[in-house]
Amino acid sequence: MSLCRFPLTVINKEEARRYAGMAGTSGEESQFPEERLLAACQEGLLYAEGKAIWKALPYVPERSAIGADPVIVLEGRDIVAHLAGAESVVIMTATIGQSLERAVEEHFAAGRYVQGMLLDAAGTAAVEAVADQANRYIEEEGARRGYRATWRFSPGYGDWPLSVQPALLAAVEAGKLPVSVTEGLMLDPQKSVTAIIGLIPRRNGSIASDKGTGVVCQRGCAACPKKDCLARKES
């Protein structure tokens, strides 16, 4: 098991713009002045505390089962197809903590709705950046051990149900961050991510790296339900 801190020195303005629903707009085309988006990203750096925890576990593809205690049997065709060829998986949880969402709540309570919305978008960009950094660590470690890593796949993508969240958090001991799950199966803090990364032996020569990023996808972007993976960002 690994638990790491990932201090952020920048929040990607364009990613924050996309999460705010303003993708493809800038300058005069944007409904908000550019300086307000930049200010939200700077404010986000005051609150974001990037951390991630992950754990490698054996995977039995014939049973679609992860060798956790208790065993996690995966439901959903998409996640099972995603892990085809994997002999182990890494369960990962990343978060930026609760401080940012509290600041968002304060903005809304004070009637600063635009500021709150933009800060919330900056928070989403921040936690995705933390998850991406952890993903790269996992890819590098997997490569040293002779594996190729799939891109991260989170509950809620495709037909993989959110009901698996409690089992994933328990398996990776996400309480050490701390990250928990609500009765409605949402993560707490909200700006958190859970995901699975498959580790596939390099001897499976049919698996190819996508666009030089180290992210591996067996089906290709056209068939992939994930919209914010590294391969898409660099395409």
Side-chain angles (χ1 to χ4, degrees):
M1 177 184 296
S2 298
L3 194 162
C4 294
R5 294 183 180 275
F6 293 96
L8 294 173
T9 59
V10 64
I11 294 176
N12 188 303
K13 182 188 65 173
E14 297 309 314
E15 286 298 288
R17 185 195 308 280
R18 185 164 66 88
Y19 288 118
M22 299 185 295
T25 63
S26 61
E28 294 181 358
E29 295 179 358
S30 175
Q31 56 184 310
F32 303 116
E34 192 79 357
E35 57 268 22
R36 299 197 72 170
L37 185 60
L38 285 169
C41 291
Q42 289 299 313
E43 184 181 2
L45 290 175
L46 297 176
Y47 303 115
E49 300 176 15
K51 293 183 289 185
I53 190 169
W54 60 90
K55 184 176 184 180
L57 294 164
Y59 179 64
V60 182
E62 295 81 10
R63 297 175 53 207
S64 304
I66 298 172
D69 184 17
V71 171
I72 302 172
V73 178
L74 299 177
E75 300 177 10
R77 291 189 300 270
D78 292 329
I79 183 61
V80 172
H82 180 70
L83 296 176
E87 66 177 27
S88 62
V89 299
V90 177
I91 299 174
M92 176 186 75
T93 302
T95 188
I96 59 168
Q98 291 184 321
S99 296
L100 186 141
E101 62 191 69
R102 288 172 181 158
V104 170
E105 291 171 357
E106 290 174 3
H107 283 315
F108 278 107
R112 299 186 293 268
Y113 303 114
V114 172
Q115 194 168 347
M117 184 271 288
L118 294 178
L119 180 59
D120 183 77
T124 301
V127 72
E128 290 293 330
V130 172
D132 285 346
Q133 290 183 56
N135 202 148
R136 291 188 181 98
Y137 269 67
I138 293 164
E139 290 171 2
E140 292 168 2
E141 179 62 22
R144 285 192 289 269
R145 297 184 180 186
Y147 291 97
R148 294 185 182 273
T150 67
W151 45 265
R152 55 187 171 90
F153 198 109
S154 293
Y157 288 134
D159 63 353
W160 195 23
L162 289 174
S163 57
V164 74
Q165 296 273 43
L168 296 182
L169 294 184
V172 79
E173 300 180 46
K176 293 181 178 179
L177 288 178
V179 172
S180 59
V181 63
T182 69
E183 291 184 1
L185 301 176
M186 303 304 292
L187 296 177
D188 183 22
Q190 296 175 20
K191 299 306 179 186
S192 303
V193 171
T194 56
I196 278 185
I197 297 165
L199 297 179
I200 302 171
R202 287 184 179 275
R203 63 179 178 270
N204 290 5
S206 62
I207 299 175
S209 179
D210 206 1
K211 301 186 185 299
T213 63
V215 179
V216 176
C217 181
Q218 289 191 319
R219 297 184 296 164
C221 291
C224 167
K226 196 171 190 299
K227 302 302 182 185
D228 56 355
C229 67
L230 292 176
R232 288 189 186 274
K233 289 177 184 178
E234 298 188 11
S235 61

